[in-house]
Amino acid sequence: MNFATYSSGSETFYGAVTDDGMIALNAAFPQWPTLFDAVQADGLADLGEAAAGKPVTHTDFQYDMVLPNARRILCVGVNFPDRNAEYKDGSEQPKFMSLFPRFASGFTGHDCPLIRPPESPQLDYEGEVAIVIGKGGRRIAQADAYDHIVALTLCNEGTIRDWVRHAKFNVTQGKNWDNSGAIGPWLMPFTDAAQLDDARIITRVNGEVRQDDVLSRMMHPIRREIEYISTFMTLQPGDIIVTGTPTGSGARLDPPQYLKPGDVVEVEVNGIGTLRNTIEDEQV
């Protein structure tokens, strides 16, 4: 059973996702005001039990960013071999992974528009798998890394390309525009290594496949990501790691093809689902 944060009318809920609609669960768990709180308390199994046999409460709703109050979102950059080659700088596969932070305000939900700001036309897509930490830890061994994952979700790690080059050593500016990316549609509980080891990412723009690769080709596999990140920071329940995007982003096409209003971007991963977003210009 998958879980989502969503809005209906003027209210925000979290609950279980069904084919017929949502089953609101937050009223049954006042100790967990948000889905993030439920994750922190290792409560996804309790949510599933509470939803079993319950009727749908909402059929008219809008998905929100799945953990809109997530405190820490860390992204892994340039994590596929072809992606490294796209930079055409002659560099070998890096020994250590590139990392940068993103903030929850930079993400919207499934079926919501990504917002292109007036300051730049270079809104780009990056389809990725995101993992949610359920059990915290420091200096986590690769052999134990999957034990610390509670759920999986999808990310379109939307980027304002020219703003990632405003400074010499960081990309933070181009990675944190409000509502420039999306995470969702839902949290899928992590139960089996095959959910990640056999995962394939496909990103489509207006139905055209732009990215297509498998997680097994990552230069820094997810077990290594957890090991490396937990070396310098204590991972905490509710932390999100966005694990890396394949080759084929719009900036690397010839000529570049950035997103524009009216485009539809879909990030699909077998076994997890599809994250879909349209593109709109910011109203200023």
Side-chain angles (χ1 to χ4, degrees):
M1 185 171 288
N2 299 328
F3 305 97
T5 300
Y6 65 96
S7 299
S8 183
S10 60
E11 296 185 81
T12 299
F13 303 85
Y14 68 83
V17 183
T18 77
D19 291 339
D20 298 320
M22 295 291 188
I23 303 171
L25 296 171
N26 44 297
F29 296 94
Q31 71 274 32
W32 303 332
T34 70
L35 187 54
F36 178 80
D37 297 307
V39 168
Q40 284 202 309
D42 192 24
L44 292 188
D46 292 332
L47 297 186
E49 291 177 7
K54 294 291 192 302
V56 165
T57 58
H58 295 93
T59 57
D60 183 12
F61 61 88
Q62 175 64 63
Y63 283 98
D64 294 337
M65 193 284 223
V66 68
L67 294 177
N69 55 336
R71 297 174 184 169
R72 305 197 299 186
I73 303 171
L74 202 58
C75 303
V76 181
V78 196
N79 197 23
F80 284 80
D82 295 340
R83 184 94 170 91
N84 188 58
E86 278 184 324
Y87 281 78
K88 298 179 181 179
D89 58 3
S91 65
E92 299 296 325
Q93 175 176 325
K95 180 178 180 181
F96 299 110
M97 64 194 72
S98 299
L99 296 169
F100 55 89
R102 284 201 65 151
F103 312 115
S105 59
F107 294 106
T108 189
H110 173 66
D111 269 340
C112 295
L114 306 185
I115 302 302
R116 187 177 72 165
E119 288 82 2
S120 171
Q122 294 187 13
L123 174 60
D124 206 352
Y125 55 87
E126 294 187 4
E128 310 187 42
V129 169
I131 63 170
V132 180
I133 298 298
K135 182 174 73 172
R138 182 86 189 276
R139 298 186 178 90
I140 299 167
Q142 290 192 45
D144 301 324
Y146 279 5
D147 295 337
H148 292 258
I149 302 173
V150 69
L152 309 178
T153 189
L154 303 179
C155 179
N156 183 345
E157 211 258 295
T159 301
I160 305 299
R161 287 293 176 200
D162 50 347
W163 277 68
V164 301
R165 298 178 178 85
H166 276 192
K168 187 173 183 180
F169 293 119
N170 70 78
V171 299
T172 303
Q173 304 94 308
K175 293 287 188 177
N176 281 289
W177 289 80
D178 287 353
N179 299 315
S180 58
I183 294 181
W186 44 62
L187 296 185
M188 183 185 74
F190 180 66
T191 58
D192 191 316
Q195 290 172 284
L196 289 176
D197 294 344
D198 297 337
R200 176 186 180 191
I201 302 173
I202 299 175
T203 304
R204 299 180 180 89
V205 179
N206 301 326
E208 176 191 359
V209 173
R210 296 282 185 85
Q211 297 181 296
D212 187 353
D213 216 326
V214 292
L215 266 60
S216 59
R217 282 183 10 96
M218 282 181 166
M219 295 187 294
H220 305 288
I222 291 172
R223 292 182 187 273
R224 171 58 178 154
E225 293 177 4
I226 292 172
E227 177 191 51
Y228 181 74
I229 293 168
S230 70
T231 304
F232 63 84
M233 62 184 275
T234 302
L235 286 173
Q236 300 172 359
D239 287 347
I240 298 174
I241 300 174
V242 181
T243 58
T245 195
T247 186
S249 61
R252 303 300 171 183
L253 301 178
D254 186 15
Q257 297 184 43
Y258 297 110
L259 298 173
K260 60 187 184 302
D263 286 347
V264 178
V265 186
E266 296 172 300
V267 178
E268 177 185 347
V269 176
N270 56 300
I272 301 178
T274 300
L275 172 64
R276 181 176 55 254
N277 298 95
T278 54
I279 310 301
E280 291 183 6
D281 277 337
E282 183 178 353
Q283 300 301 307
V284 295

